[in-house]
Amino acid sequence: MRDFSNAKRIVVKVGSSTLTHASGMLNIRCVEILVKVLADIQNSGRQIILVSSGAMAIGVGKLGFPGKPADMPGKQAAAAVGQCELMYTYDKLFSEYNHITSQILLTREDVDNPTRKENLQNTFQRLLEMGTVPIVNENDSVSTDEIEFGDNDTLSAVVGTLTEADLLIILSDIDGLYDSNPRTNPQAKLLHQVDQLTPEVEAMAAGAGSNRGTGGMITKIYAAQIAQKSGIDMVIMNGANPKKLYNLLEGEPLGTYFPAHKG
Ligand code: GLU
């Protein structure tokens, strides 16, 4: 049974394929609704931490490139451009509802190093006490293969652990986890609840994904592994209509629920 009525601290992860059009440009309608809903959920007494992708996709769109640059400095530069645009948009929209945003950019090193990790946890704690909405992304302009998380699904679960969140919601361009790939099999069935991440579940997740995001479904399963082990409930649901977040929090069985492993 799902009951998120006591979920006070919620990490919401939104991916590039939800935030941008196929052109790579920002999906303004989606972002506007998302921010409005998150601001309202925060007003209702919950705390929101937003893990947002989109830096690279938006940078590529803004620079007018036909696709992601092939080389690492090119990718890092595009992300640096896009991250500004992303935060500018979030800050502007959250301000309309009187909310203060804050930005945290991370690499894996920041979490692996105990001193940096502690600093980070203290900063998160303060930002939440101050009532801000922390907005998190990988620090793409400095991260390289050796030190990166690589995808924001994993990052969002790590952020959930660092902040001792109650619930992680991963907004995707698909309704949840299916028993086979729904893009190729019209008979594919949505799984409503996954208690244990067995090799069969991993096999179901393999292969599904979209073009503009990084992770696909398999990284969401890795995120669920981290979340369940850390005692955090997790849901994967479609982010196309962010108003559905209200329905989810009211108990409607949307998406795929991965209950936390307690105790
Ligand atoms: N950090 C990347 C970006 O903002 C996205 C990584 C991901 O989508 O998982 O472009």
Side-chain angles (χ1 to χ4, degrees):
M1 259 301 283
R2 305 180 188 203
D3 179 7
F4 301 135
S5 52
N6 291 326
K8 164 102 174 124
R9 186 169 292 178
I10 304 173
V11 177
V12 176
K13 185 259 168 178
V14 62
S16 306
S17 51
T18 305
L19 289 173
T20 59
H21 290 287
S23 65
M25 302 296 275
L26 194 67
N27 185 331
I28 295 171
R29 180 170 56 175
C30 182
V31 178
E32 280 188 349
I33 299 172
L34 177 67
V35 170
K36 186 172 181 177
V37 170
L38 294 180
D40 196 26
I41 291 173
Q42 176 119 333
N43 283 353
S44 75
R46 307 195 200 231
Q47 291 172 329
I48 296 290
I49 299 160
L50 178 61
V51 175
S52 177
S53 308
M56 181 90 69
I58 291 168
V60 165
K62 191 167 184 181
L63 290 162
F65 294 162
K68 282 186 191 175
D71 63 317
M72 183 57 93
K75 286 197 182 90
Q76 293 180 322
V81 170
Q83 183 64 27
C84 284
E85 175 84 1
L86 196 59
M87 281 311 293
Y88 167 74
T89 308
Y90 280 131
D91 196 44
K92 185 167 81 108
L93 295 173
F94 272 109
S95 297
E96 284 179 17
Y97 302 104
N98 261 324
H99 285 285
I100 299 170
T101 57
S102 50
Q103 174 182 253
I104 301 266
L105 297 177
L106 293 178
T107 63
R108 188 174 281 283
E109 274 187 326
D110 300 315
V111 178
D112 287 348
N113 176 306
T115 312
R116 281 157 82 161
K117 180 177 169 187
E118 198 186 327
N119 286 337
L120 196 55
Q121 284 179 298
N122 291 339
T123 308
F124 265 122
Q125 186 55 36
R126 269 306 165 83
L127 288 170
L128 291 166
E129 281 166 16
M130 291 169 178
T132 77
V133 180
I135 302 180
V136 187
N137 196 358
E138 176 127 32
N139 196 353
D140 293 312
S141 53
V142 301
S143 71
T144 50
D145 288 349
E146 302 75 43
I147 58 162
E148 70 178 7
F149 288 100
D151 68 89
N152 277 9
D153 296 321
T154 309
L155 176 64
S156 66
V158 171
V159 167
T161 308
L162 284 173
T163 58
E164 295 177 350
D166 303 302
L167 174 64
L168 166 62
I169 304 171
I170 296 192
L171 298 177
S172 179
D173 56 359
I174 194 164
D175 288 345
L177 178 64
Y178 284 80
D179 61 356
S180 66
N181 190 342
R183 297 185 212 271
T184 50
N185 176 10
Q187 310 297 326
K189 281 197 191 62
L190 181 70
L191 305 180
H192 291 285
Q193 182 162 334
V194 175
D195 293 294
Q196 296 295 338
L197 292 163
T198 58
E200 289 74 37
V201 173
E202 283 195 28
M204 289 171 193
S210 79
N211 298 330
R212 277 163 292 133
T214 308
M217 205 36 87
I218 196 73
T219 54
K220 294 177 178 54
I221 298 301
Y222 298 149
Q225 243 154 23
I226 300 171
Q228 285 188 317
K229 223 170 74 192
S230 312
I232 304 167
D233 285 328
M234 182 178 125
V235 174
I236 302 174
M237 65 181 276
N238 203 317
N241 179 2
K243 286 188 183 156
K244 293 265 180 187
L245 282 167
Y246 291 125
N247 304 58
L248 178 84
L249 294 176
E250 281 158 9
E252 204 175 299
L254 294 169
T256 306
Y257 172 41
F258 302 79
H261 295 166
K262 306 277 184 203

